[in-house]
Amino acid sequence: MGGQDDFIIQVRGLNNSFGGHVVHENLSLDVKRGEIIGIVGGSGTGKSVLLRSIVGLQQPQSGDLTVFGQRLKDLSELERQAVEQRWGILFQDGALFSALSVAENVQVAFREHLSMKPSLMDELTGLKIRMVGLDEGACSKYPSELSGGMRKRAGLARALALDPEIVFLDEPTAGLDPIGAHGFDMLIKDLQRALGLTVFMVTHDLDTLSTVCDRIAVLADNRVVLVGTMDDMLQSNHPWVREYFHGPRARAARSIR
Amino acid sequence: MDSGALSFRVMDENDTFQVQCAGEWTVRHVESVDSALKEIKSRRVAGREAVLNLAEVVRLDTAGAWMIQRTAAQLEAQGFKVRIDGLTLAQQALLDAIEHSFATVEMHPDEGPWYIALLERMGATVRQIGNNIYDQLAFFGLVIATLGRAIRNPSRLRLVPLVHHMEKAGLDALPIVALMTFLIGAVIAQQGAVQLQKLGAEVYTVNLVAIVFLREVGLLLTAIIVAGRSGSAFTAEIGSMKMREEVDAMRTLGLDPIEMLVVPRVLALVITLPLLTFIGDVVGLVGGGVAVWAMLDTTPDAYLVQLREASGFWTFGVGLLKAPFMALVIAMIGCRAGLNVTGSAESVGRQTTSSVVQSIFMVIVLDAAFAIFFTGVGI
């Protein structure tokens, strides 16, 4: 493989604006197969909008989105559904269906897209739930009975149900205590390694960025101003990047390492 | 080559027992071999070696890896020494990530036999109704006490929210109340005329409209519209404030949520519901008049004369007298349901539904009680 094939997601010339407020202007970004990329940016710079644009929850004004080498615009409804089954999304607070138990949440995709015997479905569900580090007692619980960290883990299990190739994470560690956040970071890294996932995550967490992410993309001035490793970030002269990665919190995060 | 195919062959020879796996071992395909894999057995075991050969496996995901591990564990349990062959590095990593534990998972909570569940639900509901009545009475007392304090010290009455809620619950409800009462007034007159014509008593249609509308229907209709419109709005408004901890913030700032949120709404409804009822009564009688005019050729003049004969002051007074009480009940139920909201958005929805159902129910119960009372006192 070489050239274009290495990029699993390609964003070209993306434009998004809301009522005159421009969020993205001619934004371009490439994500390599098998990497963990972290998207950072100040509040309101459109990190979540970028994620939502890629997965099709938000119709961009213009621009090309290519995922798995297929231009999303050109796909028919059926082809699009096939593509959608190859990625999984973890929303900020898990977005579990509140009327379903954790196990049923994970099984939604099995029931909807595959024909599978209940016994096998239960086995695979148990497997996914153990993989994300929940104990099996959580299976029959309802989302309202879970803590924030457990909801995120359950959400991740649901995102992983069909063994996707890409996982999108929206602020995976937001709202978790430092121990829980570190645990979740390690979980993402382990799963990525074991399953060969590509992980696209929007995050604010400097610890996550430095411990988990292979590359970091910085959103500022309506576009991606910088993509690179943590070292590239530290050497950058862009004012926002400097402030973000050299601020007091960043120093504290580095000194702990 | 069929890329979707997935297969395995069992070779049971001499001193090794081999399972050759091929094809796509992914979540989309594993179903086809699930039961066959579970039945793998060999008659001769005694310390032999089993080999799972994955050299021909094209793709492997967690579901496929689970199958492999499950089969390995199963063979081990039968007494084989199990080896997994022909793995790529990535596949090895995946297999390692899937630990083979076979704890049976309780996926679906056990609810016990249906009759126990039924009895349990009945008991819980009865208890809940009891608690609900008790709480509602307590809340009623609390609001009355706060209202009393506010009346003794009128500077504590919040005029701006009071006027705001009067506009929202009263003025804004006017078009729909007028439309509904006009239509129902016309329908009662029309249906009444059809029936009374059979007895040759169509002149009494006007009496029917006057008494039915002024005593009962005008008020009931208005109260039900207001319960659906404003009672639910009260619940949703206060409920979303409760959800966002605004009510708690009020308490910590030394403000009384009952005084700030509940009293203005209750007062606003107590003032506007009688006014709405009055307008509803008038419009309903106009609707009846139009229908009578169209069906029986009773002119508006004649209609008015007969109306005056058919209804006394109390016909009208009975209806209007009930209105403030209905308003009190609707507003109290709406506000209490709002304050009962806990945490989530579903809770707001649930409380809004129950507030509308309860207030409409209570409006009708109250109306029945009043009917008995007024018959008792003879008006």
Side-chain angles (χ1 to χ4, degrees):
Chain A
M1 272 196 231
Q4 289 215 322
D5 289 352
D6 285 331
F7 295 121
I8 196 163
I9 303 173
Q10 287 182 298
V11 182
R12 286 282 172 277
L14 185 72
N15 285 301
N16 266 314
S17 64
F18 298 103
H21 172 67
V22 178
V23 179
H24 297 140
E25 197 175 359
N26 202 13
L27 182 148
S28 296
L29 176 68
D30 292 321
V31 179
K32 293 178 195 162
R33 188 178 287 275
E35 76 172 342
I36 303 186
I37 190 166
I39 311 295
V40 295
S43 297
T45 50
K47 305 178 295 290
S48 293
V49 176
L50 174 62
L51 191 157
R52 293 171 66 87
S53 296
I54 297 173
V55 300
L57 289 171
Q58 173 102 40
Q59 190 64 46
Q61 258 122 22
S62 64
D64 267 345
L65 297 163
T66 310
V67 182
F68 308 120
Q70 291 168 288
R71 265 184 59 176
L72 295 185
K73 259 195 241 171
D74 301 342
L75 299 181
S76 68
E77 190 65 25
L78 265 176
E79 290 169 320
R80 198 178 157 90
Q81 275 177 15
V83 168
E84 278 170 357
Q85 287 177 33
R86 292 170 67 186
W87 67 47
I89 302 156
L90 170 63
F91 291 93
Q92 226 183 76
D93 195 32
L96 296 170
F97 303 121
S98 51
L100 304 179
S101 70
V102 169
E104 287 163 339
N105 260 288
V106 176
Q107 290 173 356
V108 165
F110 293 151
R111 287 179 203 278
E112 192 59 31
H113 299 300
L114 309 172
S115 66
M116 203 183 259
K117 268 190 304 237
S119 65
L120 180 59
M121 208 147 66
D122 285 355
E123 277 177 30
L124 290 179
T125 306
L127 173 69
K128 301 282 166 181
I129 284 171
R130 283 196 299 273
M131 273 172 74
V132 296
L134 286 175
D135 83 86
E136 282 147 8
C139 284
S140 56
K141 288 206 174 119
Y142 285 87
S144 56
E145 300 168 291
L146 301 179
S147 70
M150 287 164 87
R151 271 204 298 277
K152 287 199 180 191
R153 283 172 190 263
L156 187 60
R158 186 180 69 181
L160 292 174
L162 289 182
D163 273 90
E165 291 160 58
I166 309 176
V167 179
F168 294 92
L169 309 172
D170 193 0
E171 307 226 10
T173 55
L176 298 184
D177 66 78
I179 301 170
H182 180 72
F184 205 82
D185 282 349
M186 291 301 106
L187 172 69
I188 291 168
K189 194 154 191 161
D190 291 344
L191 286 176
Q192 188 269 340
R193 224 178 272 150
L195 309 179
L197 294 170
T198 305
V199 179
F200 181 105
M201 72 166 112
V202 167
T203 184
H204 268 305
D205 190 330
L206 284 154
D207 294 310
T208 308
L209 289 170
S210 58
T211 51
V212 179
C213 293
D214 298 318
R215 288 200 308 156
I216 297 165
V218 181
L219 283 192
D221 315 328
N222 305 333
R223 61 199 171 84
V224 177
V225 290
L226 182 63
V227 188
T229 61
M230 195 64 179
D231 292 333
D232 297 332
M233 297 296 128
L234 293 173
Q235 281 155 20
S236 163
N237 281 322
H238 187 281
W240 190 87
V241 179
R242 272 198 78 75
E243 203 178 334
Y244 192 92
F245 290 97
H246 290 275
R249 286 172 158 249
R251 269 200 299 279
R254 269 204 308 284
S255 69
I256 293 169
R257 284 174 75 204
Chain B
M1 198 175 86
D2 182 5
S3 67
L6 157 162
S7 62
F8 70 92
R9 274 176 298 140
V10 177
M11 292 183 289
D12 198 355
E13 286 162 358
N14 306 327
D15 46 341
T16 50
F17 179 81
Q18 276 214 28
V19 182
Q20 293 273 0
C21 306
E24 290 206 16
W25 284 64
T26 63
V27 67
R28 270 159 228 290
H29 304 111
V30 288
E31 164 81 14
S32 59
V33 293
D34 178 36
S35 32
L37 268 179
K38 275 189 185 153
E39 281 154 21
I40 287 187
K41 258 189 211 118
S42 169
R43 261 162 286 137
R44 301 169 298 150
V45 180
R48 282 203 307 166
E49 197 179 38
V51 178
L52 288 165
N53 196 333
L54 305 193
E56 291 165 42
V57 169
V58 188
R59 276 185 64 199
L60 186 69
D61 71 0
T62 50
W66 162 253
M67 291 294 186
I68 304 288
Q69 292 287 41
R70 194 186 68 186
T71 311
Q74 205 178 305
L75 290 172
E76 251 161 29
Q78 286 176 27
F80 285 105
K81 272 180 275 174
V82 182
R83 186 154 55 85
I84 301 175
D85 262 359
L87 283 170
T88 65
L89 275 176
Q91 287 170 343
Q92 183 66 56
L94 181 56
L95 280 187
D96 290 344
I98 313 269
E99 85 290 30
H100 26 113
S101 72
F102 287 90
T104 39
V105 184
E106 189 54 63
M107 295 283 169
H108 313 285
D110 187 20
E111 278 162 356
W114 64 269
Y115 51 89
I116 298 287
L118 187 75
L119 286 173
E120 215 175 274
R121 249 180 87 172
M122 263 166 64
T125 310
V126 169
R127 234 191 109 130
Q128 202 195 331
I129 291 174
N131 287 343
N132 205 358
I133 291 173
Y134 179 83
D135 290 348
Q136 187 70 55
L137 284 174
F139 184 75
F140 195 82
L142 183 63
V143 175
I144 296 292
T146 314
L147 199 62
R149 239 179 334 181
I151 287 169
R152 255 190 306 160
N153 183 1
S155 65
R156 303 190 78 152
L157 273 179
R158 323 253 156 190
L159 262 186
V160 176
L162 175 65
V163 173
H164 169 78
H165 290 300
M166 281 173 67
E167 182 186 340
K168 279 216 303 194
L171 201 61
D172 292 354
L174 205 55
I176 183 74
V177 167
L179 181 66
M180 300 286 271
T181 46
F182 180 87
L183 290 175
I184 298 291
V187 168
I188 290 174
Q190 188 255 344
Q191 290 296 315
V194 170
Q195 296 304 319
L196 289 171
Q197 254 172 344
K198 289 181 191 162
L199 304 169
E202 62 265 33
V203 280
Y204 288 108
T205 307
V206 183
N207 300 45
L208 172 77
V209 172
I211 290 172
V212 164
F213 220 86
L214 293 180
R215 281 189 85 110
E216 300 291 340
V217 175
L219 168 73
L220 269 183
L221 207 58
T222 313
I224 287 171
I225 292 170
V226 167
R229 221 184 143 270
S230 305
S232 62
F234 291 173
T235 310
E237 285 161 8
I238 297 178
S240 58
M241 288 180 77
K242 183 86 194 297
M243 195 178 82
R244 287 193 303 256
E245 297 184 312
E246 287 175 52
V247 175
D248 296 338
M250 263 180 199
R251 284 211 177 91
T252 60
L253 291 170
L255 306 170
D256 180 5
I258 304 286
E259 190 182 305
M260 300 278 291
L261 301 174
V262 179
V263 167
R265 287 179 167 83
V266 170
L267 273 184
L269 220 55
V270 168
I271 295 170
T272 52
L273 189 63
L275 297 176
L276 280 174
T277 307
F278 175 74
I279 294 169
D281 282 351
V282 172
V283 177
L285 291 181
V286 170
V290 170
V292 172
W293 194 9
M295 284 195 63
L296 305 174
D297 289 331
T298 314
T299 60
D301 284 349
Y303 180 69
L304 280 179
V305 169
Q306 213 184 332
L307 205 56
R308 208 173 303 151
E309 268 171 28
S311 55
F313 170 77
W314 279 110
T315 323
F316 171 69
V318 159
L320 219 54
L321 203 63
K322 294 189 275 190
F325 296 96
M326 305 273 186
L328 207 60
V329 164
I330 293 169
M332 294 266 189
I333 291 175
C335 291
R336 188 182 73 103
L339 288 171
N340 270 354
V341 164
T342 48
S344 63
E346 304 99 87
S347 164
V348 177
R350 225 177 10 247
Q351 291 293 345
T352 308
T353 313
S354 94
S355 118
V356 172
V357 172
Q358 274 184 47
S359 50
I360 291 178
F361 172 72
M362 279 312 295
V363 159
I364 287 166
V365 168
L366 208 59
D367 192 61
F370 271 117
I372 296 169
F373 170 74
F374 284 126
T375 315
V377 298
I379 46 179

